[in-house]
Amino acid sequence: MLNNLMEGLVTIIDPSNLLILLLAVVIGFLGGAIPGISGLMLVVVLLPVTYGMETTSAFMLLTAIYAAAVFSGMITAILYRAPGTPESVTTVYDGYPMTRRGEAGKALGIGILSSTIGGIIGTIFLIALTPTLAQIALQFASPEYFALAVVALTVVAALSDGKLVLGFIGVAFGLLLATVGIDAMTGAYRFTFGFPELASGIDLVPVVIGLFAISETINRMTQKEDGNLGKTQKFKIKIFDSKIFKKITGTLSRSSLLGVGIGILPGIGPTTAAILAYSESVRWSKTPEQFGKGAPEGIAAPESANNAAAMGALVPLFALGIPGSATAAVMLGAFIMHGLQPGPNLMSTNGPMVYAIFAGLLIVNIVVLIFSKPFIVMFSKLLTIPYSIIGPLIVIFCTVGTFAIRNSMFDVIVMLIFGILGFLFEKIRFPLITIVLGVVLGSLAESEFRRSLELSGGDLSIFATRPISAVLLGIAILMVIFPITKQIINKRKKTTTN
């Protein structure tokens, strides 16, 4: 393996391949930082460009773009409350509050460090344990996937900021949105109300951009301020702060490993990994009440997890020929287009190419660390522009990005509707993240629940008789009961004291 990796590094050192990697990082930076443009979209757009390229160079380009885009999505999430990519939606929750109180540089430093560590850990696992980790993924069937989704949904208790009823309403609303469209299992139309545009469902991106970016733009434009983002015009990014690093070390380790584990599960993806990592950080924290108000762990957890998961999603692709995410599915098509079939034989028949890609990803994570700071400094010059100008520009970028996903003006309308809803919900301090939680996990939970019942002939005991799903569901039940019980106990203590 080491010999193959060294050969891969030799391939990367070629000037043309180095140029391709640098170009890919720049493209990924720009695409990921613009709301609505994701790594998936960039890979799809540039797929035709790889037709005439040498195979190794082509896949170095695609994988490097994806890695850089997953990283840079956090930039606008922290600075503008506008997630650049779906993977960075959870970063908004604590990143933007830090920006609002004048700690943008601190938040970005945490994001850069966390993303790099997560990406490197994910790549190391990708290189060293591809066959082994892929076999672990095969142990998960529909009951385990459903149980995993339920565990993720239980974080609503922690994200509701004491408003459990609103939190559960938000998740229920998100789950309802996830059912809109053609039923994948029966072909029936659900909640389309005669609109053909709803047949393919409600996409996550317009919902996320509307709830966070558009709602914040409306909010800022309606406030009587000097138009700028307060104290954030000038800030200094410090990537490594020993005091903060000591505080988030446990979060980084746990979230990176969780991201790798989630990434290798086919069909889950980095967005879910980020949400799960955030939820677990809240659970493990001694001060969970600080999350959502600018906790460093609230940035470290999702950023390390989504970058690790992005690398982990390539494990089943290379080892089994099974895509671990939507972007990996596009890359599977790219492999076939180049006359290659990912799977066990790929490692033996095209080892030098595979390890060149692995080596390229390692270098990309290092390049991201080196160039992220100057890129963000240039990008942040926008903060000096009055919000009366930058606000409409954000709306324009969001509109273009949302439209480009499916070339649909209907998605733009959905984005604006959720922007207004987000603005109104914020007035009553509704936990918006719970809606996103339901949308992200709704399809997974529903489809795997129904598949499980088909496998068992309608017998619900399948979830209890399979060890992994039983343990996961047990944890989910405890995670819901504990905060509710804690609230009841606290209320009784207050009553007794009074």
Side-chain angles (χ1 to χ4, degrees), residues 7-65:
E7 290 180 10
L9 287 171
V10 171
T11 303
I12 298 298
I13 293 174
D14 181 88
S16 61
N17 287 331
L18 279 176
L19 182 62
I20 287 173
L21 283 181
L22 291 174
L23 180 63
V25 169
V26 172
I27 294 172
F29 272 175
L30 291 172
I34 298 174
I37 307 296
S38 63
L40 172 60
M41 187 182 300
L42 289 172
V43 170
V44 170
V45 169
L46 290 170
L47 189 59
V49 177
T50 67
Y51 286 173
M53 293 178 64
E54 191 268 330
T55 305
T56 302
S57 300
F59 287 101
M60 283 169 45
L61 175 71
L62 296 178
T63 53
I65 286 174

Side-chain angles (χ1 to χ4, degrees), residues 356-419:
I357 296 171
F358 291 169
L361 287 171
L362 266 180
I363 292 177
V364 163
N365 281 289
I366 296 172
V367 170
V368 163
L369 178 63
I370 294 171
F371 289 101
S372 58
K373 189 172 178 179
F375 175 80
I376 293 174
V377 169
M378 289 187 293
F379 193 85
S380 64
K381 296 298 181 183
L382 295 172
L383 291 172
T384 60
I385 302 174
Y387 206 85
S388 58
I389 297 175
I390 200 65
L393 286 176
I394 290 175
V395 174
I396 291 171
F397 279 125
C398 290
T399 302
V400 172
T402 300
F403 176 80
I405 294 170
R406 298 191 291 192
N407 293 326
S408 171
M409 277 303 299
F410 188 81
D411 283 345
V412 175
I413 295 171
V414 170
M415 177 195 74
L416 295 175
I417 290 173
F418 277 94

Side-chain angles (χ1 to χ4, degrees), residues 108-140:
L108 289 167
I110 295 169
I112 293 170
L113 182 64
S114 304
S115 298
T116 303
I117 290 176
I120 291 175
I121 290 176
T123 306
I124 290 173
F125 272 84
L126 173 66
I127 295 171
L129 301 175
T130 290
T132 304
L133 291 178
Q135 292 301 319
I136 294 175
L138 292 179
Q139 301 301 314
F140 274 65

Side-chain angles (χ1 to χ4, degrees), residues 233-469:
Q233 294 94 333
K234 295 181 180 180
F235 57 81
K236 184 178 180 181
I237 300 173
K238 188 176 182 180
I239 295 177
F240 186 84
D241 185 316
S242 58
K243 185 178 179 181
I244 293 178
F245 182 72
K246 184 178 180 181
K247 186 177 182 180
I248 65 175
T249 299
T251 300
L252 288 174
S253 304
R254 181 175 58 250
S255 300
S256 297
L257 293 176
L258 178 63
V260 172
I262 297 299
I264 66 172
L265 299 176
I268 305 299
T271 304
T272 304
I275 291 176
L276 276 169
Y278 189 91
S279 70
E280 291 310 305
S281 293
V282 175
R283 292 195 225 276
W284 284 71
S285 177
K286 295 179 181 179
T287 55
E289 68 280 356
Q290 293 182 6
F291 282 78
K293 301 173 184 176
E297 299 93 332
I299 300 173
E303 284 306 312
S304 56
N306 61 27
N307 281 269
M311 301 298 99
L314 299 177
V315 171
L317 175 64
F318 284 108
L320 301 173
I322 301 172
S325 66
T327 307
V330 175
M331 290 183 188
L332 174 61
F335 271 110
I336 295 172
M337 182 187 74
H338 281 268
L340 299 171
Q341 179 58 55
N345 292 329
L346 183 68
M347 301 292 290
S348 57
T349 58
N350 294 276
M353 180 201 71
V354 173
Y355 278 95
I357 296 171
F358 291 169
L361 287 171
L362 266 180
I363 292 177
V364 163
N365 281 289
I366 296 172
V367 170
V368 163
L369 178 63
I370 294 171
F371 289 101
S372 58
K373 189 172 178 179
F375 175 80
I376 293 174
V377 169
M378 289 187 293
F379 193 85
S380 64
K381 296 298 181 183
L382 295 172
L383 291 172
T384 60
I385 302 174
Y387 206 85
S388 58
I389 297 175
I390 200 65
L393 286 176
I394 290 175
V395 174
I396 291 171
F397 279 125
C398 290
T399 302
V400 172
T402 300
F403 176 80
I405 294 170
R406 298 191 291 192
N407 293 326
S408 171
M409 277 303 299
F410 188 81
D411 283 345
V412 175
I413 295 171
V414 170
M415 177 195 74
L416 295 175
I417 290 173
F418 277 94
I420 296 170
L421 285 176
F423 173 71
L424 296 175
F425 285 167
E426 290 252 293
K427 297 298 182 183
I428 59 172
R429 297 188 177 279
F430 192 98
L432 298 179
I433 193 70
T434 59
I435 300 175
V436 177
L437 192 70
V439 175
V440 170
L441 299 171
S443 297
L444 175 69
E446 181 198 6
S447 60
E448 300 304 342
F449 178 75
R450 293 169 66 183
R451 288 193 184 100
S452 299
L453 292 183
E454 285 189 357
L455 288 172
S456 65
D459 186 0
L460 288 171
S461 66
I462 188 173
F463 299 107
T465 55
R466 295 177 66 94
I468 297 177
S469 63

